[in-house]
């Protein structure tokens, strides 16, 4: 395919995309297919000769769409939102065309420099402490990671490297293995599974701190676990505090946990994957109070800030903490400016070497929406979640299971887990809306999350009406 | 921005992209900017109010393009190619619009299933042994990773987990720390820096095996290192063999190294990041002989197979080796089909949780080019590299520094490193073409890599003419 055909096909694709997103509400949100549906629909080997574009594009509706879960349907209330906006898609098109690989400043200066400045823009939108911004004379700065999982892993590895160097400086006889065996990381029992995974990869212990009645990690529980571990000869080194947990969007107490981390010399990483976007609204910024105690902070604009996946933004107070943990410098990656101190080689900040020009998405989205437009998007979701909450509260058969702070409502039928599992099964097999569950204090709970950019009150009302009807028939069947 | 404006702006962007790529030859391949150029050109904070799209698109030429290294210019001969093709860009547009996050089968069945089938298509194009294909009853299969660095890390972590379980099964008193302290991984001294990094992250030792005169890892050197380590009480567990090293595109001897790994129960991972794409041509497939000894195999279609970044394809013989190393299963990610054995939850195969619908790019590219079209692309680059090689050979002032097998020519002026550093400095400051160096047996060497999809003989001839002229003036100045 040459440029002339791309001009034609690209424009057709633009229309296809606009049609898809304008019409997504009319598609069944969750697919009917069974595992293994796709393989019989396509050949078992690649074609030897080129095919026509028409045949490929026709196969999208025939083969792909029947197996798609439509994350951008206004009837999709599962997991957490994944961002989608037209400015972001336009930026991604440009990113693909420039197609640079930004592992070093020299590999494409614009790619590195726009990222640094966009991370400062976003940091300022969140009112992050100066120490996290790249600014002029700062030691900190931001980087775009692919996912919050990677950010957590990178933070844990940096913390592991830092504590290992510190311990070996005073006790040179300690081997890395001897140290690693004693290192302990902590997170709340509500933390995301990726924290467990980061510890697994990093080869260190992870202790889950029991959260309180509000599903929040508090000082007392952390301190107790830590003191026990210290008494047993272990070395506490890393704490992940979650702002907006996956199960119920609860918040660990940064103002309590932060000072302990600082006193004890433990690295504090904040995972605000979902909730972080809300902190651009002054009325939600208080949820980030205590960030000043953290060594690293991460959230996902690709969840709730209209920047398409992937864009997980991470800030550190001391960038050398990352770069010293990861630096390897072969000749083929050296360049003449790298020792100038003015520039950033982002490959030392992350797990992969290569990286796309992802800051273009941030630039397009921030400019096309403006801060006010982004705030309006957050506020709409929060308002709709409270609308859903009040609907649930009006029906005495149901209960709310966790405080509704942002765009997630945890609710259930008063009654057994079995009953609620049956309700969810009914909802997801009817496929008019899509939800996923969670488990809170051994209770099976339904999560209702505002996800789509285009979701409105009418969808929420319909969803609730639908849930009530399914509950009606379920409870009727139970009585019979 | 709503759908109607996206229809208009998207089409403008399609034209901008086509114009950019059609005209990229006319742009200076390497930018003139100095570190820090960008920050003064844009505001220090995000705008409060939305801006107009015109203003943003105008800033692309004013602010971004002056700082871009043009990886798709036919005068770009640096690093390795990064793939770019129109069908791939079209698929990426669609991927952004569907915008699903494919961490589990249920999260979007098409996303998972197309990936499995595309990995089989590509595996068959390479004539991989059946054991690596997902097929029907196989234990193996393929997954798209973000980069070869991640694939190496994932393989190392799986190998670490496997050997740890094996050792603990016979000696339950062994702690993970005690085992990790003894684990040793091996790779050639020519292996990519990401191997060193994977070992650093995994907390295991890495020994660099001295390569032979052809920059190839051979049996004798590996066996010697391994026997020494075993005698010292260490546990060899993991070997990375590189096919197509970054410095000079040399090949480790799989047929020698493979059997040793199998005999000794060491995991063999093959990193063919660049060279792998060439194995779709029957005349280069011999370079992959010995893959049958490997546990995992990886290469980057996003380098040389016209699939835009990121798309790093990895196959394993036993998928449970990966999934057992990474599995964590919270309630909110459980779904009704996951225990059926028919389906794949790719989140257990990789470091991040989230993942894009990247197999669409493979599907579009394989179908729009056909295997023959992809082979033609590989063959053109190899032919042009031999053309450049023969030009170098005709000039007695120059020497070829490593056998030219695929699309990379390592060459230098006969003489000091200083002289060659000066030549490269001249080349890269003139900015007519762009190259990066490497170091081979303490010699400073220039790497000439065929990168652009649109590079032709005329560009190679011009590049060589230009290098000769710069060498002329350099040698003249030396004599004076």
């Amino acid at each position: 395919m040459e440029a002339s055909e791309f001009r034609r096909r690209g424009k057709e694709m633009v229309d296809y995309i606009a049609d898809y997103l304008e019409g997504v509400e009319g598609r069944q949100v969750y697919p009917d297919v069974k595992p293994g549906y796709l393989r019989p629909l396509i050949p078992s080997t690649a074609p030897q000769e080129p095919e026509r574009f028409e045949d490929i594009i026709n196969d999208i509706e025939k083969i792909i769409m029947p197996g798609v879960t439509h994350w951008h349907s206004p009837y999709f209330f599962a997991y957490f939102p994944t961002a989608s906006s037209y400015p972001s898609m336009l930026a991604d098109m440009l990113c693909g065309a420039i197609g640079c690989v930004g592992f070093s400043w020299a590999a494409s200066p614009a790619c590195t420099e726009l990222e640094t400045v966009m991370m400062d823009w976003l940091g300022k939108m969140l009112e992050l402490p100066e120490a996290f911004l790249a600014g002029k004379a700062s030691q900190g700065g931001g980087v775009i990671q692919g996912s919050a999982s990677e950010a957590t892993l990178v933070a844990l590895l940096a913390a592991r490297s830092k504590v290992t160097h510190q311990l070996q400086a005073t006790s040179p006889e300690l081997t890395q293995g001897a140290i690693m065996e004693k290192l302990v990381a902590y997170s709340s029992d509500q933390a995301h599974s990726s924290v467990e995974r980061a510890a697994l990869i990093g080869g260190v212990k992870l202790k889950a701190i029991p959260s309180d009645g509000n599903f929040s990690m508090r000082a007392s529980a952390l301190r107790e676990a830590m003191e026990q571990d210290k008494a047993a000869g272990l070395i506490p080194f890393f704490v992940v505090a979650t702002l907006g947990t996956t199960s119920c969007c609860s918040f660990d107490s940064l103002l309590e946990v932060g000072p302990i981390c600082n006193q004890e010399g433990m690295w504090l990483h904040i995972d605000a994957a979902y909730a972080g976007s809300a902190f651009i609204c002054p009325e939600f910024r208080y949820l980030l109070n205590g960030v000043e105690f953290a060594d690293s902070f991460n959230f996902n604009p690709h969840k709730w800030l209209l920047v398409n996946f992937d864009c997980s933004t991470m800030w550190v107070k001391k960038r050398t903490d990352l770069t010293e943990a990861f630096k390897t410098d072969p000749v083929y990656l050296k360049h003449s400016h790298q020792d100038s101190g003015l520039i950033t080689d982002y490959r030392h900040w992350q797990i992969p070497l290569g990286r796309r020009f992802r800051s273009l998405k941030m630039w397009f989205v921030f400019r096309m929406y403006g801060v006010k437009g982004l705030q309006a998007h957050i506020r709409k979701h929060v308002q709709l979640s409270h609308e859903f909450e009040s609907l649930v509260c009006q029906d005495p058969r149901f209960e709310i299971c966790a405080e509704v702070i942002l765009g997630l409502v945890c609710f259930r039928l008063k009654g057994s887990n079995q009953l609620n599992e049956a309700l969810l099964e009914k909802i997801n097999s009817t496929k008019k809306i899509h939800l996923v569950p969670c488990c809170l204090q051994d209770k099976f709970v339904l999560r209702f999350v505002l996800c789509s950019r285009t979701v409105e009150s009418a969808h929420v009302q319909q969803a609730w009406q639908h849930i009530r009807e399914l509950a009606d028939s379920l409870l009727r069947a139970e009585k019979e």
Side-chain angles (χ1 to χ4, degrees), chain A:
Chain A
M1 183 184 286
E2 288 313 311
S4 57
E5 191 182 357
F6 174 72
R7 288 179 198 272
R8 185 172 144 217
R9 300 310 188 180
K11 290 164 192 172
E12 290 171 11
M13 185 60 85
V14 166
D15 280 326
Y16 181 84
I17 288 170
D19 290 345
Y20 169 68
L21 288 170
E22 282 193 310
V24 71
E25 182 169 347
R27 293 178 188 253
Q28 179 175 291
V29 61
Y30 189 78
D32 283 324
V33 299
K34 296 274 178 294
Y37 88 97
L38 186 138
R39 194 182 283 273
L41 301 179
I42 65 178
S44 60
T45 54
Q48 288 295 309
E49 304 289 341
E51 295 184 33
R52 296 180 322 150
F53 187 75
E54 289 88 327
D55 296 331
I56 298 171
I57 200 76
N58 286 338
D59 280 347
I60 298 300
E61 283 298 334
K62 273 209 309 238
I63 295 168
I64 301 301
M65 285 301 172
V68 169
T69 305
H70 298 290
W71 284 62
H72 303 292
S73 161
Y75 298 111
F76 182 91
F77 302 105
Y79 310 108
F80 270 135
T82 188
S84 173
S85 73
Y86 292 117
S88 183
M89 285 183 245
L90 292 169
D92 241 355
M93 288 166 67
L94 182 62
C95 167
I98 293 177
C100 62
V101 185
F103 43 68
S104 69
W105 182 86
S108 214
C111 177
T112 293
E113 297 207 8
L114 187 66
E115 182 161 333
T116 306
V117 178
M118 284 305 104
M119 291 300 295
D120 274 3
W121 274 24
L122 184 54
K124 288 175 189 169
M125 284 160 66
L126 299 170
E127 295 180 29
L128 283 187
E130 278 281 331
F132 287 106
L133 307 181
K136 276 180 201 163
S138 145
Q139 302 188 347
V143 59
I144 305 176
Q145 304 282 0
S147 65
S149 308
E150 285 166 84
T152 303
L153 176 60
V154 163
L156 180 138
L157 295 170
R160 189 186 75 179
S161 164
K162 192 173 184 174
V163 71
T164 303
H165 289 144
Q166 283 168 350
L167 290 168
Q168 287 179 332
T170 51
S171 312
E173 74 287 358
L174 283 175
T175 62
Q176 199 199 0
I179 293 170
M180 278 172 62
E181 193 143 51
K182 294 188 175 178
L183 295 179
V184 196
Y186 303 91
S187 67
S188 138
D189 56 11
Q190 298 299 310
H192 191 261
S193 56
S194 55
V195 180
E196 187 185 335
R197 232 202 209 194
L200 198 72
I201 293 171
V204 298
K205 292 175 187 53
L206 174 74
K207 301 266 172 99
I209 305 297
S211 53
D212 72 2
N214 292 317
F215 308 101
S216 167
M217 178 165 63
R218 305 291 301 276
S220 52
L222 174 63
R223 193 169 278 291
E224 192 184 320
M226 212 191 60
E227 294 300 341
Q228 272 182 14
D229 288 338
K230 278 165 68 176
L234 298 175
I235 306 169
F237 82 110
F238 184 67
V239 175
V240 178
T242 309
L243 300 181
T245 58
T246 309
S247 289
C248 67
C249 199
S250 60
F251 291 77
D252 289 338
S253 176
L254 271 191
L255 289 170
E256 290 187 8
V257 165
I260 298 178
C261 294
N262 289 185
Q263 286 153 24
E264 301 285 337
M266 296 187 290
W267 182 296
L268 175 60
H269 175 71
I270 299 176
D271 171 6
Y274 164 67
S277 299
F279 307 154
I280 65 164
C281 299
E283 68 272 32
F284 301 122
R285 174 58 178 77
Y286 77 96
L287 295 164
L288 187 58
N289 287 348
V291 65
E292 58 275 16
F293 298 111
D295 297 281
S296 51
F297 167 68
N298 167 251
F299 82 98
N300 291 345
H302 71 227
K303 281 200 166 63
W304 204 11
L305 211 58
L306 298 174
V307 182
N308 281 47
F309 189 87
D310 53 338
C311 180
S312 180
T313 47
M314 178 188 195
W315 290 263
V316 288
K317 266 194 197 144
K318 235 184 124 179
R319 47 184 182 249
T320 50
D321 285 341
L322 298 192
T323 54
E324 282 171 13
F326 291 120
K327 208 162 187 165
T328 50
D329 254 332
V331 175
Y332 49 81
L333 294 179
K334 282 197 196 297
H335 55 86
S336 55
H337 287 294
Q338 71 181 14
D339 296 319
S340 75
L342 272 168
I343 62 113
T344 303
D345 283 345
Y346 273 126
R347 71 177 181 280
H348 301 306
W349 296 53
Q350 60 174 20
I351 307 289
L353 177 61
R355 54 207 326 277
R356 300 163 71 229
F357 199 160
R358 291 176 292 201
S359 57
L360 285 173
K361 292 188 286 198
M362 296 170 73
W363 200 39
F364 274 48
V365 168
F366 297 166
R367 295 179 71 181
M368 286 297 291
Y369 280 92
V371 175
K372 288 185 181 170
L374 297 171
Q375 288 170 336
H377 172 66
I378 300 287
R379 285 171 180 146
K380 181 178 81 168
H381 277 191
V382 178
Q383 189 197 317
L384 291 176
S385 77
H386 286 301
E387 182 175 334
F388 185 82
E389 178 189 22
S390 74
L391 290 169
V392 174
C393 289
Q394 286 161 35
D395 187 327
R397 300 172 301 174
F398 285 88
E399 60 186 346
I400 296 288
C401 309
E403 190 188 354
V404 178
I405 299 173
L406 298 174
L408 163 61
V409 182
C410 286
F411 72 106
R412 69 198 300 276
L413 279 167
K414 293 171 186 166
S416 69
N417 281 351
Q418 207 187 349
L419 181 68
N420 282 285
E421 284 174 34
L423 176 61
L424 183 70
E425 159 60 25
K426 253 184 187 299
I427 292 170
N428 282 340
S429 60
T430 311
K431 298 174 185 174
K432 208 175 148 180
I433 63 175
H434 189 50
L435 306 184
V436 296
C438 71
C439 190
L440 292 176
Q441 290 166 331
D442 297 327
K443 283 186 176 171
F444 187 89
V445 169
L446 281 68
R447 294 169 76 260
F448 185 92
V449 193
L450 281 299
C451 287
S452 162
R453 184 173 60 81
T454 60
V455 64
E456 299 293 344
S457 173
H459 304 107
V460 171
Q461 296 283 342
Q462 276 178 57
W464 174 242
Q465 187 58 34
H466 177 61
I467 292 168
R468 283 190 60 190
E469 285 167 14
L470 294 177
D472 287 346
S473 81
L474 186 69
L475 293 168
R476 214 180 302 125
E478 274 232 320
K479 277 189 191 149
E480 278 161 11

